[in-house]
Amino acid sequence: MAGSVRSPGIDLVRVFGVVAVVAGHVWTTDLAVAAFYPWHVPLFFFLTGWFWTAGRPLGAEVRGRGRSLIRPYLAWFVVIGLAWFPATITSGAASPLDLVRPFLGGQYIGRPYSAFWFVTALAVAAVALRVLERFPAWVPWTVVIAAVGVATVAPGVLRLPPASAGTAIAALVFVLAGSVARRWLPRIGRPALLGVTCLVAGGTAVALGSRPLDLKQADFGTPLLSTVTAVVLCSGLVLVGLALDRVVRGRAAAVVSRLASVGITVVLLHAAVIWITEPLLPAPLVFVAATVLPWTFALLLDRTPLAPWTTGRTPRRTDRVQGARPVVA
C-alpha cells in the first residue's frame, strides 16, 4: 500500500512503466523486446512490494484488490467484448474455443485483451502474499523460489491455471524483492547515483545476454540472471524516481500523480486501441493513439460516478492536489 506521503518521482516511474507496456505491445522487434521486457512488468510487482505494509487483514486485501483491480477488469472486459465478440463471430475465423479463451484470462487471452493477464496476476500475487506473510519469513521465500524453479524448467505448468494464478506466485519474487529494497536501499544514501549505477549494471547484463522476461508466458528468461537483472533495473528506476522528488514539484507533481492514479485503465484499454488502429496507421501513430486515448478516457471517467468501475478509484477532494493512490501498485 502507498504511504501517506506521495512520491511524485515514483509516480513518474509508474507513468514511464505504463508507457513502456504500451510500447512493448506496439513494437515487437528484438531491440524493443530487449529495451522493455527485462523490467516493464516486473516494475509493478516490485512497486507493490516497495509499498507493502505487513499485517493488513486478508479480507481487507481481497476487497481492496477487488475494487482497484478486478472491478475495472470486469468492466472493461465487457465493454471491449461488445466489439470484439461480434466482430470475431461474424469473421468466421474463430473456433468455439477461441471464444471461450478470453474468459479463462491469463496466457489464454490475447488481443484486444493482451494485458488483462497482468491485472489478475497482480491481484492474486497480493492476496497470496497476504496469506504467506502469516508464516515465518522463510516460508514465502521458499514458496516463491520453488515457483520460479518450476517456471525455469517447466513454464507450461505455471501457465496452465487460468487468470495467470500460477505465474502470480512466481512473480511474487519481485514483490518480495521490492519489500526488501524498501528496507535497505534508502539507507545507502545518494539515490540518484545508486539508481543510475543499477540501471547501467542492469542494462549491461541485458547487453551481455541476460534474456528478457515474458511473465505472461511464465518465461523468466535466463535462469536466475534475468530475475536478478529485473530486480536491479527496478531498483534503479525507483531510486532515480526518489531522486526526482526534488525536481517534480508543484503543478507538475499533481499532473504526474493524476496520470499515475488512472494508469490501470491504460493497461486495460491500450491493446484494444492497438487492435483497432494497427491496420490503419503506422506504428508511431498507433503508439500515440494507444497511449493518449486511454489516458484521456481515464482522466475524464475518473471525474464521474463511473470511476470505481473504470479506473478502480473513488475520487476524493484531495485528488486535485495530491492525486489518489495508484491502483497498479
Side-chain angles (χ1 to χ4, degrees):
M1 293 185 295
S4 58
V5 179
R6 293 189 63 85
S7 165
I10 291 184
D11 278 339
L12 186 60
V13 170
R14 285 191 180 95
V15 171
F16 182 54
V18 173
V19 171
V21 169
V22 178
H25 283 141
V26 173
W27 289 285
T28 57
T29 63
D30 289 343
L31 180 60
V33 171
F36 303 123
Y37 277 72
W39 62 272
H40 68 346
V41 173
L43 173 65
F44 294 103
F45 289 95
F46 186 90
L47 285 172
T48 298
W50 184 271
F51 289 111
W52 190 262
T53 301
R56 187 185 189 190
L58 177 60
E61 188 71 45
V62 172
R63 290 190 295 272
R65 299 296 170 173
R67 288 192 298 265
S68 64
L69 295 173
I70 303 303
R71 190 160 54 182
Y73 179 106
L74 295 174
W76 289 115
F77 183 94
V78 172
V79 171
I80 294 171
L82 292 175
W84 183 80
F85 281 97
T88 303
I89 292 171
T90 56
S91 71
S95 67
L97 180 59
D98 292 328
L99 299 176
V100 172
R101 289 172 67 89
F103 294 96
L104 298 176
Q107 63 94 18
Y108 298 99
I109 198 168
R111 192 172 292 176
Y113 296 107
S114 301
F116 274 56
W117 75 271
F118 158 75
V119 177
T120 54
L122 185 59
V124 170
V127 173
L129 183 54
R130 196 59 72 189
V131 173
L132 290 171
E133 73 175 3
R134 299 182 177 189
F135 298 93
W138 62 268
V139 174
W141 279 104
T142 300
V143 171
V144 168
I145 291 171
V148 173
V150 172
T152 301
V153 299
V157 174
L158 289 189
R159 291 198 301 264
L160 188 60
S164 288
T167 303
I169 305 304
L172 272 175
V173 66
F174 302 116
V175 182
L176 292 175
S179 179
V180 172
R182 176 63 185 268
R183 292 196 298 270
W184 291 101
L185 290 183
R187 302 183 183 184
I188 298 176
R190 306 189 70 178
L193 178 59
L194 181 58
V196 170
T197 301
C198 288
L199 293 177
V200 171
T204 301
V206 173
L208 293 178
S210 175
R211 289 197 300 112
L213 299 89
D214 186 353
L215 295 187
K216 182 176 182 178
Q217 303 300 326
D219 181 357
F220 278 71
T222 306
L224 185 60
L225 177 60
S226 294
T227 300
V228 172
T229 299
V231 170
V232 171
L233 288 170
C234 291
S235 298
L237 287 166
V238 169
L239 288 168
V240 170
L242 291 175
L244 288 174
D245 281 347
R246 299 180 180 180
V247 178
V248 185
R249 305 173 68 89
R251 181 60 181 170
V255 170
V256 168
S257 294
R258 191 77 178 152
L259 292 173
S261 71
V262 296
I264 190 65
T265 308
V266 183
V267 171
L268 290 168
L269 274 185
H270 76 274
V273 177
I274 296 172
W275 173 58
I276 294 170
T277 59
E278 197 170 49
L280 307 173
L281 300 173
L285 292 182
V286 171
F287 170 71
V288 172
T291 306
V292 173
L293 291 179
W295 240 312
T296 301
F297 292 153
L299 291 171
L300 293 174
L301 290 167
D302 196 48
R303 296 184 179 275
T304 74
L306 294 174
W309 284 95
T310 56
T311 67
R313 297 186 340 110
T314 302
R316 300 189 298 266
R317 289 183 180 180
T318 54
D319 289 351
R320 295 184 179 180
V321 179
Q322 297 177 331
R325 183 170 69 88
V327 296
V328 291

